[in-house]
Every structure is written in C-alpha cells, then in structure tokens.
Amino acid sequence: PRPRDARALVKAAAVIVNGAGLEGWLDRLIEASGTRAPVVVASDGIAWLPATDTDLEIDHSGHSHDDHDHDPHGWQTVANARRYVKNIAAALCAVDAPGCALYDTNLNRYLQLLGELDQDIRAQIGKVPEARRVAVTNHAAFRYFGKAYGVRFIAARGLSPSGQSRPATLARLIETMRSQSVTGMFLENVANARLLEQLARDTGARIGGTLYSDALTRS
C-alpha cells in the first residue's frame, strides 16, 4: 500500500467496506496502517447471488474481483442500496454519538429519495415490452438489477471487467443476440469499448448509454 493511504487509515473513525470479497487488498492495507478503527461491512444483510452463473453467454473463465464466492455487485438495486445506507448510518452513529441525530435525518431523507428512484425505475422499465428487456453489457455486474427489475443482462465477460472473453463465448453471444433480436448494448464506464464495438460490427446492434458498474469514474 502507498504510505499516505496507510496514514489516512490510522486516523479513520471507521473503515467501511463492501464485503463479499470485493476488497481483498484492503486487509493488507488495514494491517499496514496499524489502525484500530472498527471495520464495518456495509453490505451486511444482503442476500448474495453466487459468483458463477450457468447462462451459456456468461464467461467466468477470467479473473474475478478477488476470486470471491459471491457476486459482490449488491449495490445495483434500490432495495440493497437501502440496506447499505442503513448500515453506514449505524456505523457513523456508533463512532460519533453526538452526530447521530444528523446522520439519522440524512438517512431518512436519502431513503425517501431511494423510494422515489425505485418507483421511477419500475415505471420506465414498465414502458418496455418484456420481450425487449434484454441488454448486453461488458461484464456480469448487473445481475441484482436484472433480478429485481425483470431485465435480462447478457455479459460478454464474467464478474471482472478485465477478464478475457474466449472466442467460443463470443460466438455463442453473437448467436444469442441474433436469435433474440437484441439491438441494444450498454458500455460500462470502467470498461474498454473495443469488445462492444466488435459486437456492434458483427450483429448490427447499437451501443446506447453508459452504465455505472464498479465505480463512478473511469478508474
């Protein structure tokens, strides 16, 4: 770990992690920092999906985030997001009792916004015929969203956006897209566009908007 990262952890009131094996590197950083701050798992209470999927178009042969047993992308549904923010607010209250009233106020305000977001998602997806609710993405980061909102995501790679797709997998993916008349693909903000550009050339499907999977930036 970089020294400045370790020093920052020493001063932390709490270390908040996702869990499900997403941050395998973080344990080494915490140990190197010498911090005694409590480690809080923000995803406690999430019903995890298994890391593997039997869909033929999903290729899990590449390296996943940290070779975990569960799909760590739990934040991709509003119901799970509510669990995350409740856990985070509780952790902040535990280390800062005087500020707890403010944390609770902000929590309730945010939970209301999440409820409105959930209603909006369902209303927008409801406008799309069920047979058309199919989206091609770079890697399998949206299975929670798909299960919650009735969208089938076809991923060219496994749980890691850096995994490699085998030629046979791509061939099956192209066949699936053609047989199901899939016309839309969505590029993830952390992924290289080359794979979807190749699929666009081979199938005639168009690349639509950007989806945010593992980060809010291109890092």
Side-chain angles (χ1 to χ4, degrees):
R2 292 174 295 182
R4 66 174 181 274
D5 293 335
R7 286 197 297 270
L9 273 180
V10 171
K11 300 177 181 178
V15 179
I16 299 176
V17 303
N18 179 78
L22 182 66
E23 308 105 336
W25 50 269
L26 189 56
D27 288 342
R28 298 189 299 273
L29 181 59
I30 292 172
E31 182 179 359
S33 74
T35 184
R36 295 184 179 180
V39 177
V40 178
V41 180
S43 61
D44 272 350
I46 299 297
W48 296 113
L49 295 176
T52 57
D53 198 309
T54 57
D55 287 354
L56 64 85
E57 69 273 13
I58 305 294
D59 180 9
H60 291 278
S61 60
H63 173 67
S64 62
H65 284 285
D66 279 298
D67 295 325
H68 38 60
D69 296 326
H70 304 92
D71 182 341
H73 303 92
W75 59 85
Q76 293 289 355
T77 73
V78 171
N80 285 351
R82 293 173 66 90
R83 173 62 59 185
Y84 274 86
V85 297
K86 287 180 180 179
N87 287 340
I88 291 171
L92 293 174
C93 282
V95 298
D96 179 22
C100 192
L102 177 60
Y103 301 138
D104 282 342
T105 296
N106 290 337
L107 169 65
N108 291 330
R109 183 182 304 138
Y110 195 56
L111 290 176
Q112 181 179 351
L113 293 175
L114 286 174
E116 295 171 1
L117 174 62
D118 184 68
Q119 292 178 9
D120 185 56
I121 292 172
R122 296 183 186 281
Q124 297 304 318
I125 291 178
K127 297 177 183 179
V128 181
E130 289 188 20
R132 303 276 295 178
R133 297 174 192 173
V134 183
V136 173
T137 57
N138 293 84
H139 84 295
F142 301 97
R143 293 165 59 217
Y144 292 93
F145 186 98
K147 183 177 181 180
Y149 298 109
V151 178
R152 185 184 180 208
F153 286 94
I154 301 176
R157 294 182 175 133
L159 292 178
S160 172
S162 60
Q164 297 298 314
S165 295
R166 296 174 178 175
T169 301
L170 289 179
R172 292 196 299 272
L173 175 54
I174 291 170
E175 180 182 352
T176 298
M177 291 177 64
R178 288 173 174 168
S179 66
Q180 298 188 20
S181 301
V182 177
T183 59
M185 300 183 293
F186 294 88
L187 179 67
E188 295 171 41
N189 64 310
V190 296
N192 191 296
R194 286 197 300 269
L195 177 59
L196 292 196
E197 289 170 349
Q198 176 186 339
L199 290 172
R201 291 191 297 269
D202 292 338
T203 65
R206 297 179 60 184
I207 299 177
T210 299
L211 298 182
Y212 291 83
S213 53
D214 292 358
L216 296 179
T217 67
R218 294 185 178 276
S219 60

